């Protein structure tokens, strides 16, 4: 009974992920096509567009999460999908930087449905299954991360706008599927009235942060999100500068990472949580990330970068394990609110990280300067990851 609705929700998350990965391989060419300028200029504007997307996701994730607690998961997901399809059409037709910016504004709102999807997973999961089932969401995101860059890289050969038309079609088809198969999981017993004081990001953070054990884990989740976003923020620019990769190769490398991440979160995570527990799963994931960041910071071989991707993907167990820890700590009628807060925390990291990482790349990618190090953003990510790991290890709450 729940298989088709679950499939629809996972496809929705996949399409959300494609919204990020789709434009990564074509973004340098698209920005230079629209406004001209150098690769470094494109990197800066790419960071601005990514941050714009994240600002809207930050503002609207708690709102959509709270709306789904009040009115149900189904209407929130369906309305967001149809708006998403229209937004991709606007992006496909955009002939100026300002229209691209408008598209990212609307796209950030529609991508905030990740919170509602997470709440649906919490609705249908037993407490001991939550971390593993959140891994399914991560796997769906990973598949979207594969399809987005592949579509962006391969269809980008036909033109910088072709990927957006394809994404609009996918969103429209998924809306049609959801209209017929999605069933509501919010009942009269779990429904909670919408309250603007808790729906705005600050109010939602305060409300969730009062739950014992949650505050420290949210900080870990936030710091991890800032660090791990180094990949989508600078990978296209870093590999183009360091290895001379073209859009097709960039798309392939991102696809390999997405496949590995999907396998880790859809399969390996369940095994790790069962045998190690959620807490030790988080610690091991952080160790894998330390190793990957350290090598990428100084690497000069594109082939070695490709072989490192599976190790980098092992760190993908961290976020769903943290989600499982926090979801078990809140009541059933707060799942949408919690997922909204977590999505907002992730979005806040996406506001900070692209600007931070692209600015670091721009500062250290000038060969005429005395401090040429294109991998400098990975050094920064490693430092942030260490801080998050220290906070997590010091945590002694009942939740962990």
């Amino acid at each position: 009974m729940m298989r088709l609705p679950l499939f629809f929700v996972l496809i929705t998350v996949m399409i959300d992920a494609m919204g990020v990965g789709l434009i990564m391989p074509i973004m340098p060419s698209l920005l230079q096509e629209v406004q001209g300028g150098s690769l470094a200029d494109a990197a800066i504007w790419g960071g601005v567009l990514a941050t714009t997307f994240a600002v809207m996701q930050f503002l609207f994730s708690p709102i959509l999460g709270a709306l789904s607690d009040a009115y149900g998961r189904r209407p929130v997901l369906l309305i967001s999908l149809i708006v998403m399809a229209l937004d991709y059409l606007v992006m496909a037709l955009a002939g100026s930087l300002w229209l691209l910016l408008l598209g990212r504004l609307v796209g950030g709102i529609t991508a905030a449905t990740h919170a509602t999807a997470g709440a649906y997973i919490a609705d249908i999961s037993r407490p001991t299954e939550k971390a593993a089932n959140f891994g399914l969401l991560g796997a769906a995101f990973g598949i979207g991360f594969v399809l987005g860059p592949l579509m962006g890289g391969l269809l980008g050969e036909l033109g910088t706008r072709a990927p957006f038309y394809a994404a609009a079609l996918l969103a429209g088809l998924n809306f049609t599927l959801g209209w017929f198969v999605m069933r509501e999981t919010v009942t009269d017993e779990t429904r909670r009235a919408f309250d603007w004081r808790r729906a705005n990001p600050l109010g939602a953070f305060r409300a969730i942060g009062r739950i014992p054990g949650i505050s420290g884990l949210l900080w870990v989740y936030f710091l991890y999100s800032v660090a791990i976003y180094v990949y989508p923020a600078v990978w296209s620019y870093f590999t183009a500068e360091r290895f001379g990769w073209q859009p097709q190769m960039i798309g392939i490398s991102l696809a390999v990472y997405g496949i590995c991440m999907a396998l880790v979160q859809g399969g390996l995570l369940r095994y790790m949580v069962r045998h190690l527990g959620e807490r030790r799963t988080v610690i091991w994931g952080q160790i894998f990330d330390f190793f990957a960041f350290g090598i990428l910071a100084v690497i000069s071989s594109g082939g070695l970068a490709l072989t490192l991707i599976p190790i980098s993907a092992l760190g993908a167990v961290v976020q769903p394990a943290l989600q499982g820890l926090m979801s078990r700590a809140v009541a059933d009628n707060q799942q949408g609110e919690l997922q909204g807060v977590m999505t907002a925390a992730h979005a806040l990291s996406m506001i900070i990280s692209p600007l931070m990482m692209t600015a670091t790349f721009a500062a250290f990618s000038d060969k005429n300067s005395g401090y040429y190090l294109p991998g400098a953003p990975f050094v920064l990510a490693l430092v942030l990851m260490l801080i998050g790991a220290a906070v997590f290890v010091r945590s002694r709450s009942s939740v962990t």
Side-chain angles (χ1 to χ4, degrees):
M1 181 69 68
M2 300 301 291
R3 289 183 180 179
L4 280 176
L6 176 60
F7 177 75
F8 161 72
V9 169
L10 294 178
I11 292 295
T12 301
V13 171
M14 183 194 76
I15 295 175
D16 283 351
M18 288 176 59
V20 177
L22 179 79
I23 64 175
M24 289 170 62
I26 62 168
M27 183 57 74
S29 300
L30 178 62
L31 286 171
Q32 287 179 306
E33 172 189 314
V34 169
Q35 66 154 13
S38 66
L39 184 64
D41 293 331
I44 294 297
W45 274 109
V48 171
L49 291 176
T51 298
T52 299
F53 181 94
V55 167
M56 302 310 290
Q57 195 175 42
F58 168 72
L59 293 174
F60 281 86
S61 289
I63 294 173
L64 294 188
L67 284 171
S68 76
D69 280 341
Y71 301 106
R73 319 302 183 201
R74 174 184 162 89
V76 171
L77 291 174
L78 291 179
I79 292 171
S80 296
L81 274 169
I82 198 64
V83 174
M84 179 186 293
L86 295 173
D87 179 60
Y88 277 128
L89 290 177
V90 171
M91 294 283 286
L93 298 171
S96 70
L97 188 60
W98 303 113
L99 272 178
L100 290 176
L101 185 63
L102 175 63
R104 290 289 82 189
L105 284 169
V106 177
I109 298 173
T110 60
T113 52
H114 196 99
T116 305
Y120 174 83
I121 293 295
D123 290 342
I124 66 171
S125 304
R126 290 192 292 267
T128 56
E129 298 174 337
K130 287 188 175 183
N133 287 343
F134 283 129
L136 293 177
L137 282 184
F141 186 92
I143 294 171
F145 200 76
V146 171
L147 295 180
L150 275 179
M151 187 180 297
L154 297 177
L155 293 182
E157 299 295 322
L158 303 176
T160 55
R161 310 312 174 103
F164 296 110
Y165 287 113
L169 177 62
L170 283 176
L173 289 174
N174 195 45
F175 167 83
T176 303
L177 173 66
W179 180 266
F180 289 105
V181 307
M182 181 63 179
R183 298 293 179 266
E184 189 55 67
T185 56
V186 174
T187 65
D188 290 338
E189 289 75 20
T190 60
R191 193 181 308 276
R192 189 179 61 179
F194 183 81
D195 184 350
W196 276 109
R197 292 172 298 179
R198 298 172 67 99
N200 73 85
L202 294 180
F205 273 105
R206 282 197 299 267
I208 291 296
R210 294 191 190 104
I211 299 172
I214 290 292
S215 179
L217 293 179
L218 278 175
W219 273 109
V220 176
Y221 187 85
F222 170 70
L223 289 169
Y224 178 85
S225 298
V226 173
I228 206 68
Y229 203 78
V230 67
Y231 289 115
V234 302
W235 186 257
S236 298
Y237 311 105
F238 167 71
T239 54
E241 171 66 28
R242 198 67 168 132
F243 314 130
W245 286 359
Q246 297 301 311
Q248 187 172 17
M249 188 62 206
I250 294 171
I252 290 172
S253 67
L254 290 169
V256 172
Y257 179 83
I259 291 171
C260 292
M261 188 176 75
L263 291 174
V264 167
Q265 293 188 325
L268 180 62
L269 172 66
R270 193 174 297 270
Y271 175 85
M272 291 181 68
V273 170
R274 183 185 306 124
H275 292 277
L276 300 177
E278 291 156 330
R279 182 178 177 84
R280 282 188 289 176
T281 296
V282 171
I283 292 172
W284 274 106
Q286 290 171 327
I287 290 172
F288 292 129
D289 283 321
F290 299 154
F291 181 76
F293 288 157
I295 293 180
L296 285 170
V298 298
I299 200 172
S300 59
S301 166
L304 183 57
L306 285 175
T307 61
L308 187 65
I309 287 175
I311 297 175
S312 303
L314 290 174
V317 299
V318 173
Q319 285 181 317
L322 286 170
Q323 275 185 285
L325 285 170
M326 286 186 272
S327 180
R328 289 195 288 110
V330 305
D332 289 343
N333 66 356
Q334 288 183 288
Q335 293 296 331
E337 183 179 24
L338 170 65
Q339 298 302 322
V341 166
M342 294 180 68
T343 305
H346 183 71
L348 183 59
S349 74
M350 291 170 63
I351 296 170
I352 297 170
S353 189
L355 292 177
M356 183 187 301
M357 298 302 179
T358 54
T360 302
F361 171 80
F364 285 85
S365 62
D366 183 359
K367 292 181 179 178
N368 296 321
S369 69
Y371 43 88
Y372 179 72
L373 183 64
F378 295 101
V379 177
L380 178 57
L382 177 58
V383 172
L384 293 170
M385 189 75 70
L386 284 171
I387 296 172
V391 173
F392 185 75
V393 169
R394 289 176 61 87
S395 172
R396 292 293 183 269
S397 74
S398 59
V399 176
T400 58

